[in-house]
Amino acid sequence: MKSFLKLTYMELKLQLREPVALFFTLAFPVMVMVLFGFIFGNETEELLSGYGQVDLSVPGYIGMIVGTIGMLSIPTTLANYRDQGILRRLRATPLGSSSVLWSQVAAQVLMTAAGIILLFIAGLAIFDLRIPNGDLAIVPAILLSAFSFFAVGFVLAGVMPSARTAQAVGMAIFYPMLFLSGAAMPRYIMPDFVQQIAGLLPLTHVVILVEDLWLKGTWNLTSVAVVTVVLILGLVISRFTFRWE
Amino acid sequence: MTQVIEVRNLYKAYDGVTVVNDVSFNVDEGEIFGIIGPNGAGKTTAIESVIGLRKPDGGSVSVLGLDPQTEARELGNRIGTQLQEAALPERMKVWEALDLYASFYEKTVPWEPLLEQWGLAEKRNTQFGGLSGGQRQRLFISLALLNDPEIVFLDELTTGLDPQARRATWDLVRAIREQRKTVVLITHFMDEVEALADRVAVIDHGRVLALDTPENLIANLNGETKVLFSVPNGFQAALLENVSGVSAVNQYDQQITVSGKGPLLANVAAALAQYNIAPADLRVQQANLEDVFLALTGRTIRN
């Protein structure tokens, strides 16, 4: 347990020393929020059930953080650790392999939390963010979403031949999904057929899942099911594809 | 003498290609055991099977009386490893690596003295990415010694180091032995095993070709000594052919090489004195492990 905690803490420190990871997971979502916040403001509007633009876009930005870490940070980090021989060195210690993998998950959960907390601080400080529904069920929903996308990240890390390809493929999958899912911009401004395509994307269901709890305190069971299936598929596939060297 | 490693008929194949073929050897407590062979000879695979990183397809391995496959955790606590092609994260600092790796073992020695001992004290806050090749190797040795291991495995310790750093590293290996630890040294450098190893296994194409002390391996070659020197123009090298023990004399311009057995240097020097020739560059070339390898495989280790 001591070694797991040490490794998690170390991993967190390493993530925080990585300027690129730091920018995309912590700074970028806040930047997007501030940018759109300044463009559209956060005045309450009848059309938005009495909330402002920023209030409603928080679930999207949470999806953005979860997706960035799952599709970009984890595959790049793990594939890099494998390519460099960092996993190889760790394996030559009495430390179990599950400690290595779980410490990565734990560190990235903490990074997710840090990203969301920063988002809230910026929202409250700049836009007087309103929290429509204080249901704490949003926490397990975000965790479920995070695990689901992290599992996809483990699959990418295992399947891709190198850290560079893992990063490139992660981006190629993530960025279209980011803009279609409602994570970066609201889905309701998109044409119907685009929304239908978006409905097939896992990240859309992360956003819907968080959105429903955020706005109404209700669980969207379809989205729970989609996110859970992705999690199970991710776990099973990564079980067979993950490589230590 | 107690045996700390026993390898019997080890066999390992990847995708039908045999990498380790019927390898057997023992390592005695407290010795430096060298494993030498060209790149791709199967050295690393053999040793990775010994420390439990790979599962052999056949044969048996016992290390400190433990089975590396079923008792990996206990074994991991009692051995130290410096692996080929291993690394630490670029941004991990030296002290952080030692502190982190120390938490992986049941018992450890304090790591601050290790930093001093291996000349890393000034680098304690330097990130792994900012270390030179030699500093990285010293850090890996420190990590391998953190748990006060009984056996230390060093795989291609000096590859990529400049000659000066290599010599310095040899001293470090001797220092490990002085701490009464057994050292298994895997390398493709002949001079390295010649300088360090008590016994050496020569491996090629997955097989052990010879296993003995470097001295015995060389002695068994029944090799000839060579005496080399240069002479003034016009000297008839053939004059030396009748010197006792000489089997061949080769001349290239002013450079002469005399091959033969027995006290060759003394005999040749005496003969030269007769002709009033006193070469300033008279030197002896003895057979070395390179020649052993050449004799065993019919080629040099580098190709």
Side-chain angles (χ1 to χ4, degrees), chain A residues 27-38 61 64 178 183-185:
Chain A
F28 189 66
V30 173
M31 276 174 53
V32 176
M33 173 195 251
V34 171
L35 197 68
F36 282 112
F38 282 141
Y61 298 142
M64 181 189 288
L178 176 67
M185 56 181 89

Side-chain angles (χ1 to χ4, degrees), chain A residues 161-174:
Chain A
S162 72
R164 279 171 181 277
T165 24
Q167 188 179 25
V169 172
M171 282 181 169
I173 303 175
F174 177 61

Side-chain angles (χ1 to χ4, degrees), chain A residues 2-4 6-7 10-11 13-14 17-19 81 83-96 245, chain B residues 48 53-54 73 76-77 81 83-89 91-93 95-96 99-101 103-105 127 140 143:
Chain A
K2 186 178 129 226
S3 48
F4 168 75
K6 276 242 170 175
L7 192 55
M10 188 67 241
E11 192 53 48
K13 280 204 279 187
L14 290 173
R17 279 177 202 165
E18 199 61 62
Y81 281 10
D83 291 357
Q84 301 287 311
I86 293 161
L87 295 179
R88 186 172 146 79
R89 183 62 192 87
L90 280 171
R91 282 247 289 176
T93 69
L95 184 75
E245 46 190 281
Chain B
E48 286 179 345
L53 273 181
R54 299 193 187 283
R73 186 168 287 241
N77 271 303
T81 45
L83 295 167
Q84 206 185 350
E85 285 161 20
L88 296 171
R91 294 178 198 276
M92 189 181 282
K93 293 174 184 171
W95 78 265
E96 290 173 332
D99 186 51
L100 175 67
Y101 274 72
S103 75
F104 299 161
Y105 297 96
Q127 295 182 349
F140 280 127
L143 292 180

Side-chain angles (χ1 to χ4, degrees), chain B residues 216-245:
Chain B
N216 283 347
L217 285 174
I218 293 165
N220 289 344
L221 261 187
N222 207 12
E224 295 190 322
T225 306
K226 287 187 171 86
V227 174
L228 300 88
F229 53 92
S230 50
V231 290
N233 277 326
F235 178 76
Q236 290 301 312
L239 291 170
L240 295 169
E241 277 169 7
N242 296 324
V243 174
S244 153

